[in-house]
């Protein structure tokens, strides 16, 4: 990667530079970040969105966003930083070096002394209204403050997750607001408290709030991931869930944002990557960390021998975009190179779901009386609500003693199948699952959604996935 910084220079600086806020700015030569013991100066990252408008760039002939200088101005007016990383000035222009730098976003944002997110003025004013109510200094704001955040392009950006989640220290400023630097902890506490109060006042459960404010709910989860970053890892499944429906203009940017949440080292790639190689980079990085939770993607499987358990190398989608708990889906390669997935519970198919499974699934949706539903109607309600969350399953439901399993793809009725669910990654109402299907001499791995009782890790098994016809569990 190539690492440069925007830095303050004397007014008589001879190289390309520009003036902003009474100070002269230029871009350094590439700094050494690859050598062992390399000294990286303290710097600030600017997080903002470009929008459609373009204006001339004072440092090159490549046009920049009309939000670039206003965002930088907002940072300079609210924080005394002298060295800054901002994309348009610090990312190389030629494609090969640019790709390596974009693949190193995790390193860039994780090593910054602080990340300052620049929000539109109306968003910061909306947050101020939340804060004043929390401090009992004003009336409870109406839903318009949440509507403002829901429409905020920065919250919707695919880059936001890794820029926030990787930051050591996080601050918020308004694009046209002076003397209002909000630290991340204050933002997290006031924002989260207001959302909880709003849900209670409007009698909205977590599911209903997510359907009404999907981007806002996702952003709240991003703040939680950032706040808890020092105490727990974030799984690939959680990263994928946080990026669902976010906006990007090139598929490559989707992968650069994902890779940045997992990889904190600079990229040394020397070739232009394809979507397939970027997908491989992301999944391999997860495997290197012992996390195989990307197996729970809704994508069809890879057709390459030895990789038929992996999602196809394209834009990866989680089987269900819902906040998960747990550091990873553990696994490892044995001496033969076969994959061993750990911490999976083998489910028990049954003609009738146990009362516990029905109660958990019904409780998630706050159904008034689970007993009032017959099995067919109850399953239909669950399917409808899963689809509201983006689940694109085949419409089938497999009943288990423990709960319900909803496969992503159709399972041939004559197939030999085993149904598994994770005990390491959990949702409040179940867990991601995997159907291992044997049919007509072939083996398939079909992801799915398990809704039901919490599965005890004590009863979990290791699932061996290899090229043999029959798998085993240990």
């Amino acid at each position: 990667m190539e690492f440069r910084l925007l830095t303050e220079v004397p007014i008589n600086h001879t190289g390309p530079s520009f003036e902003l806020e009474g100070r002269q700015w230029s871009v350094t030569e590439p700094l050494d970040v690859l050598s062992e013991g390399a000294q990286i100066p303290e710097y600030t990252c600017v997080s903002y969105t470009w929008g459609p408008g373009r204006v001339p760039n004072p440092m090159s002939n490549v046009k920049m966003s009309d939000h670039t200088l206003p965002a930088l101005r907002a940072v300079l007016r609210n924080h005394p930083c002298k060295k800054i990383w901002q994309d348009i000035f610090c990312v190389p222009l030629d494609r090969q070096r640019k790709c390596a730098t974009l693949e190193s976003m995790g390193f860039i944002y994780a090593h910054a002394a602080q990340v300052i997110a620049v929000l539109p003025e109306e968003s910061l004013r909306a947050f101020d209204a939340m804060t004043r109510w929390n401090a009992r200094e004003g009336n409870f704001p109406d839903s318009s403050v949440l509507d403002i955040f829901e429409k905020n392009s920065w919250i919707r950006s695919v880059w936001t997750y890794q820029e926030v989640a990787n930051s050591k220290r996080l601050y918020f400023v308004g694009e046209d607001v002076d003397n209002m630097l909000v630290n991340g902890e204050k933002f997290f506490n006031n924002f989260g408290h207001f959302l909880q109060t709003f849900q209670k006042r409007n009698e909205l459960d977590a599911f209903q709030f997510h359907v009404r404010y999907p981007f806002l709910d996702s952003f709240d989860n991003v703040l939680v991931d950032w706040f808890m970053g020092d105490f727990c890892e974030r799984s690939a499944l959680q990263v994928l869930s946080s990026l669902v429906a976010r906006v990007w203009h090139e598929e490559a940017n989707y992968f650069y944002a994902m890779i940045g949440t997992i990889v904190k080292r600079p990229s040394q790639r020397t070739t232009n990557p394809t979507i397939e190689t970027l997908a491989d980079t992301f999944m391999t990085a997860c495997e290197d960390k012992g996390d195989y939770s990307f197996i729970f993607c809704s994508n069809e499987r890879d057709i390459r021998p030895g990789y038929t358990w992996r999602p196809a190398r394209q834009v990866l989608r989680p089987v269900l975009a819902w906040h998960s708990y747990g550091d990873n889906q553990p696994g490892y390669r044995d001496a033969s190179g076969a994959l061993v997935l750990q911490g999976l519970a083998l489910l028990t198919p049954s003609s009738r779901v146990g009362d516990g499974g029905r109660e958990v699934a019904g409780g998630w949706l706050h159904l008034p009386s689970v007993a009032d539903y017959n099995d067919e109607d109850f399953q239909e309600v669950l399917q409808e609500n899963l689809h509201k969350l983006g689940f694109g399953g085949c419409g089938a439901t497999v009943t288990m003693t423990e709960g319900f399993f909803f496969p992503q793809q159709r399972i041939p009725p004559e197939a030999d199948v085993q149904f598994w669910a994770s005990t390491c990654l959990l949702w409040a109402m179940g867990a991601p699952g995997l159907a291992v299907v044997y049919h007509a001499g072939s083996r398939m791995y079909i992801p799915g959604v398990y809704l039901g009782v919490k599965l005890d890790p004590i009863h979990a098994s290791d699932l061996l996935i290899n090229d043999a016809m029959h798998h085993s569990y240990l």
Side-chain angles (χ1 to χ4, degrees):
M1 67 164 287
E2 184 173 290
F3 184 70
R4 298 171 182 260
L5 290 173
L6 188 66
T7 185
E8 190 173 0
V9 294
I11 196 164
N12 58 353
H13 182 74
T14 56
S17 65
F18 64 95
E19 185 273 335
L20 191 67
E21 289 298 296
R23 300 156 72 181
Q24 202 71 16
W25 298 91
S26 185
V27 178
T28 66
E29 292 298 316
L31 303 176
D32 178 19
V33 296
L34 298 176
S35 301
E36 185 175 351
Q39 297 296 311
I40 303 174
E42 184 174 300
Y43 62 95
T44 297
C45 278
V46 180
S47 176
Y48 70 113
T49 49
W50 275 47
R54 298 292 180 267
V55 295
N57 185 336
M59 297 296 289
S60 75
N61 58 3
V62 176
K63 288 194 172 183
M64 64 183 187
S65 164
D66 57 1
H67 289 284
T68 298
L69 292 183
L72 180 57
R73 183 180 294 112
V75 169
L76 296 177
R77 286 180 176 179
N78 289 281
H79 192 279
C81 47
K82 294 187 177 181
K83 295 188 186 308
I84 296 169
W85 192 95
Q86 191 175 17
D87 52 8
I88 187 63
F89 301 121
C90 301
V91 174
L93 298 179
D94 72 89
R95 179 171 171 77
Q96 187 167 305
R97 290 184 300 146
K98 177 180 179 178
C99 290
T101 300
L102 292 177
E103 200 171 316
S104 304
M105 287 298 189
F107 171 85
I108 291 168
Y109 277 80
H111 283 77
Q114 55 269 321
V115 173
I116 300 181
V118 183
L119 305 179
E121 179 181 356
E122 64 172 355
S123 294
L124 206 63
R125 296 301 183 195
F127 171 75
D128 186 53
M130 297 178 187
T131 303
R132 284 187 284 107
W133 179 84
N134 288 341
R136 303 297 187 267
E137 295 175 357
N139 296 324
F140 190 81
D142 60 28
S143 62
S144 63
V145 296
L146 299 187
D147 296 336
I148 288 171
F149 273 100
E150 179 69 14
K151 297 173 183 176
N152 186 317
S153 60
W154 181 81
I155 282 180
R156 292 175 173 233
S157 170
V158 74
W159 294 108
T160 299
Y161 183 87
Q162 74 88 15
E163 292 173 357
V164 170
N166 282 326
S167 59
K168 296 175 185 175
R169 290 193 294 273
L170 177 64
Y171 297 96
F172 294 86
V173 298
E175 189 170 291
D176 297 305
V177 182
D178 294 344
N179 302 316
M180 194 174 174
L181 181 73
V182 182
N183 71 56
E185 289 83 359
K186 178 180 178 180
F187 196 100
F188 169 75
N189 289 326
N190 281 278
F191 194 77
H193 177 66
F194 183 84
L195 295 190
Q196 290 178 354
T197 305
F198 181 86
Q199 290 179 57
K200 289 178 181 177
R201 286 192 168 213
N202 291 274
E203 298 181 343
L204 298 174
D205 58 40
F207 173 82
Q208 293 166 328
F209 184 80
H210 178 85
V211 171
R212 183 170 172 179
Y213 295 108
F215 290 100
L216 197 56
D217 189 44
S218 177
F219 177 58
D220 188 42
N221 289 333
V222 172
L223 292 175
V224 171
D225 285 353
W226 166 73
F227 190 75
M228 297 298 294
D230 290 338
F231 307 101
C232 60
E233 290 286 327
R234 62 185 70 95
S235 69
L237 182 66
Q238 180 57 28
V239 171
L240 291 164
S241 296
S242 294
L243 295 185
V244 164
R246 289 185 178 275
V247 177
W248 69 87
H249 300 292
E250 297 179 16
E251 285 189 348
N253 289 346
Y254 177 79
F255 283 101
Y256 290 136
M258 285 201 306
I259 292 168
T261 66
I262 300 296
V263 181
K264 304 299 185 298
R265 60 180 181 272
S267 170
Q268 299 188 55
R269 185 187 295 277
T270 57
T271 58
N272 293 330
T274 63
I275 295 302
E276 289 78 11
T277 57
L278 287 172
D280 265 333
T281 297
F282 175 74
M283 289 187 278
T284 300
C286 294
E287 289 188 42
D288 290 344
K289 297 180 66 174
D291 176 22
Y292 291 81
S293 62
F294 58 84
I295 197 172
F296 301 122
C297 281
S298 62
N299 304 56
E300 296 203 6
R301 302 294 103 170
D302 200 322
I303 62 174
R304 294 175 298 165
Y307 291 93
T308 56
W309 58 272
R310 255 189 178 195
R313 297 178 297 167
Q314 53 193 223
V315 171
L316 302 174
R317 301 292 193 185
V319 68
L320 184 68
W322 194 256
H323 190 77
S324 58
Y325 305 89
D327 290 348
N328 59 13
Q329 174 56 58
Y332 64 92
R333 298 280 186 170
D334 67 11
S336 69
L339 172 62
V340 178
L341 290 180
Q342 300 171 290
L344 295 177
L346 184 61
L347 302 174
T348 310
S350 172
S351 59
R352 180 170 173 77
V353 175
D355 291 339
R358 285 174 62 92
E359 291 296 330
V360 170
W364 170 53
L365 297 175
H366 289 261
L367 298 178
S369 178
V370 174
D372 292 343
Y373 292 84
N374 62 41
D375 288 348
E376 184 177 346
D377 289 344
F378 189 63
Q379 292 172 27
E380 185 176 340
V381 169
L382 294 178
Q383 287 273 10
E384 287 175 357
N385 285 282
L386 286 175
H387 284 296
K388 287 180 182 178
L389 296 179
F391 176 61
C394 63
T397 305
V398 184
T399 54
M400 307 286 170
T401 301
E402 303 86 353
F404 304 86
F405 189 94
F406 303 91
Q408 177 70 28
Q409 287 97 30
R410 178 181 173 274
I411 298 175
E414 65 276 14
D416 177 22
V417 190
Q418 286 190 330
F419 298 92
W420 301 79
S422 179
T423 67
C424 302
L425 285 178
L426 304 173
W427 298 312
M429 69 297 190
L434 191 69
V436 184
V437 181
Y438 299 94
H439 180 250
S442 64
R443 180 180 64 254
M444 296 181 291
Y445 301 98
I446 298 177
V449 172
Y450 162 72
L451 300 182
V453 297
K454 184 178 180 180
L455 303 170
D456 194 335
I458 294 177
H459 303 305
S461 303
D462 288 354
L463 174 61
L464 175 64
I465 297 177
N466 55 27
D467 291 332
M469 178 56 200
H470 293 289
H471 73 274
S472 61
Y473 56 98
L474 309 176

